[in-house]
Amino acid sequence: MIYTKWLGPVCLLLSATVSPAQNFLGISTSPNTGTHRTYLNPALAAETPHWLFLHAGSANLHVNNNFVRYQAPFSLLKLFTGNVPDAYRQANGNVRFESDYTTEILDGKPKNATVWGELRGPAIQMRLGPTAGVLTFSTRLRGIGQVNGASEQLLSALRASLNTSSLYSIPSRDNRFGVNTNAYAELALSYTNTIVDADGFRVSGGLTVKRLRGYSAGSFVNRGLDYQLEAGTGPNADPALVVSRVNADLAYTTFLENRRLTPSTLFSASAPGRGWGFDLGVSVLLQSDDDRLLQLGLGLTDLGGMQYTGEVYDVNQRNVRFEADDFNSTNVGSFEQVATVIRNRLGILEDADPSLFRVGLPTSLNLTADYQLSARTGISAVWLQNVRAADDPSVRQPSLVSIAPRFETGVVGLSLPITYINRGFTLGLTIKAGPVRVGSDNLLGLLGSGQNGLRPRGTDIYAGVMLGIKSRDEE
């Protein structure tokens, strides 16, 4: 969220800005959240305490990066809720966002970032019988933008609109990074059942099959970029980014260009993407003599991919000059528009006929452990590990480790997820009140600002409505 002439649109393609949702960790780590557990590992549904679980809907926005820290004089919570003080607004009422409202993290490490929005729609989970297993129907809409492995030097130059004299005339060679976006919906069916039921432990397995419909995708997989910054000449000349060599794959769709995601768009037969996805997993429930429960899980989620119809280019060019005004915010505002500017600068002719390209899903290996300390207290641990290669044309599940202690009754509850992600720790808070759950996996990111000194690297917020019916204990 850095509004300079370059950084708004260019960050969509060439820089780290801001992580898919952080997985609703304050919700999904609770054994009482039905369909949310299935997204981590379909086998976890075997131990659901409900005969019937109804999910009305949940929404999540997650942002995280390791390139800049937020230090505006107002918090992101005030920005999202429209409560920014008048002192930081323009005459027309818009928020005035200065470049010094962020500061760079200069540690010499590759920069990664994700913006992930997710809507988990209506879903139902039902136990088919004492030994017949658990069936889950779920719906979901995801929108993801991601940068992986970008160089610190390149991002610093872009953030300064190339006006970084200390970097002028210094060659930078063999930069490699990837930029990927994907917006798609899924309709999923999961089945879970117990495989082994012995004295003191149970082993269960689960499988999810997902039909995918894609609305927008973009991929820029850069296998080698050599460049240097050059100062402008003349009284009004701007500096330039001179690319001596670039070798990359570029693919993108234009379906959502000048179009919004309305219900008619979501169900449009002309949506450019189709595909299948799969989740599979196993879980083990161990029960001690004092009835304390430990559930362990191993899941592999988001296997598969999607095929899109769009524009596909093999970029292999030399001696290309990019001016700062090429990416003026009046000219570009989306991945598609940025890609068009780059294609024109590289002298690549527009694809006359639509081409097919494939993008992967954010496949991850998920390890979970949940220990029920008492009827109302417990603690969960989650390790989500990205398994996609660096040069895959795919968005990725950001790798993370989280521990979430909780207190929960049938009516109220509290969870405190502590998460390590993108080389930093976040502290979350989730509150349950009847069927409503509201929380954040990065609470300090919502509240931090330059005035309180917290300087967050991202934020996270989610809310949902769900209800479990007829506990198994009520039989």
Side-chain angles (χ1 to χ4, degrees):
M1 301 186 63
I2 311 163
Y3 299 102
T4 66
K5 178 169 60 175
W6 274 73
L7 207 55
V10 175
C11 280
L12 292 173
L13 187 64
L14 292 175
S15 67
T17 52
V18 287
S19 151
Q22 198 174 317
N23 309 100
F24 296 81
L25 292 174
I27 297 178
S28 60
T29 51
S30 167
N32 301 305
T33 53
T35 56
H36 282 275
R37 300 276 282 169
T38 307
Y39 290 116
L40 281 177
N41 178 350
L44 298 180
E47 305 303 331
T48 177
H50 306 109
W51 281 108
L52 181 65
F53 185 89
L54 302 175
H55 180 265
S58 300
N60 174 226
L61 172 65
H62 178 80
V63 174
N64 196 285
N65 84 112
N66 65 341
F67 175 54
V68 294
R69 290 187 179 276
Y70 180 84
Q71 57 179 24
F74 47 84
S75 69
L76 288 170
L77 181 61
K78 288 185 176 180
L79 180 64
F80 293 158
T81 58
N83 292 316
V84 175
D86 292 339
Y88 307 112
R89 294 182 179 271
Q90 301 173 2
N92 61 4
N94 293 335
V95 176
R96 186 179 71 252
F97 206 99
E98 307 291 349
S99 59
D100 61 358
Y101 286 0
T102 59
T103 183
E104 296 179 8
I105 303 171
L106 302 178
D107 55 8
K109 299 182 182 299
K111 302 307 178 185
N112 307 303
T114 306
V115 183
W116 196 316
E118 185 166 330
L119 294 174
R120 295 182 176 179
I124 182 171
Q125 185 175 90
M126 64 191 82
R127 183 170 290 280
L128 302 178
T131 61
V134 178
L135 197 64
T136 305
F137 297 93
S138 60
T139 58
R140 178 162 61 170
L141 177 66
R142 305 169 102 178
I144 308 162
Q146 201 165 60
V147 179
N148 292 282
S151 77
E152 190 175 272
Q153 179 178 330
L154 177 60
L155 299 186
S156 294
L158 294 176
R159 182 173 181 271
S161 298
L162 305 185
N163 288 302
T164 308
S165 58
S166 62
L167 300 178
Y168 288 165
S169 302
I170 300 176
S172 180
R173 304 189 186 284
D174 203 29
N175 289 269
R176 298 170 184 262
F177 58 87
V179 182
N180 294 279
T181 66
N182 201 357
Y184 63 96
E186 67 179 45
L187 179 64
L189 173 65
S190 303
Y191 178 72
T192 306
N193 206 350
T194 298
I195 302 172
V196 176
D197 192 352
D199 186 24
F201 74 94
R202 275 197 299 270
V203 179
S204 302
L207 172 68
T208 301
V209 179
K210 300 181 277 192
R211 182 55 174 163
L212 310 173
R213 177 184 291 249
Y215 307 103
S216 177
S219 175
F220 185 83
V221 179
N222 171 49
R223 295 184 296 272
L225 171 69
D226 300 342
Y227 74 92
Q228 70 179 34
L229 299 181
E230 291 186 357
T233 58
N236 298 317
D238 286 330
L241 178 72
V242 179
V243 176
S244 56
R245 179 185 68 93
V246 58
N247 181 9
D249 293 326
L250 173 64
Y252 59 96
T253 63
T254 58
F255 177 70
L256 286 187
E257 195 168 4
N258 302 318
R259 185 183 302 186
R260 294 183 178 179
L261 265 180
T262 62
S264 61
T265 305
L266 289 174
F267 295 100
S268 172
S270 58
R274 297 287 190 278
W276 293 91
F278 305 91
D279 303 341
L280 52 91
V282 294
S283 70
V284 179
L285 181 73
L286 304 174
Q287 185 169 6
S288 63
D289 293 337
D290 57 1
D291 290 332
R292 293 189 177 184
L293 302 178
L294 173 64
Q295 186 180 21
L296 305 175
L298 172 64
L300 191 60
T301 57
D302 285 316
L303 294 162
M306 306 178 66
Q307 182 170 273
Y308 275 94
T309 301
E311 300 185 28
V312 181
Y313 302 97
D314 181 12
V315 179
N316 195 347
Q317 304 291 114
R318 294 181 180 273
N319 302 321
V320 182
R321 185 181 182 92
F322 290 93
E323 308 286 348
D325 283 341
D326 287 341
F327 298 98
N328 190 294
S329 59
T330 60
N331 299 327
V332 294
S334 67
F335 187 101
E336 294 84 358
Q337 292 171 322
V338 173
T340 299
V341 169
I342 290 177
R343 178 175 53 77
N344 291 337
R345 273 293 185 183
L346 294 175
I348 301 174
L349 296 178
E350 184 175 0
D351 214 349
D353 299 313
S355 300
L356 298 178
F357 66 95
R358 186 170 178 82
V359 299
L361 300 179
T363 311
S364 67
L365 181 67
N366 307 338
L367 300 177
T368 59
D370 184 85
Y371 188 51
Q372 190 73 28
L373 297 168
S374 69
R376 295 183 175 183
T377 61
I379 185 168
S380 288
V382 177
W383 177 17
L384 307 183
Q385 178 62 50
N386 164 57
V387 297
R388 284 284 179 184
D391 58 352
D392 276 355
S394 168
V395 293
R396 292 159 178 76
Q397 164 63 54
S399 298
L400 62 87
V401 176
S402 184
I403 297 175
R406 67 179 180 276
F407 169 84
E408 186 173 1
T409 71
V411 179
V412 298
L414 184 71
S415 176
L416 296 170
I418 303 169
T419 306
Y420 181 77
I421 180 173
N422 222 346
R423 301 190 182 97
F425 286 94
T426 64
L427 173 65
L429 171 66
T430 302
I431 297 173
K432 169 186 174 181
V436 178
R437 295 182 188 244
V438 179
S440 169
D441 293 341
N442 187 355
L443 184 63
L444 300 183
L446 279 177
L447 304 178
S449 70
Q451 293 184 337
N452 57 31
L454 293 177
R455 302 194 308 149
R457 302 189 311 170
T459 191
D460 181 88
I461 188 170
Y462 49 77
V465 178
M466 62 209 74
L467 180 65
I469 299 174
K470 195 178 181 181
S471 169
R472 293 165 65 183
D473 292 335
E474 295 175 357
E475 288 185 281

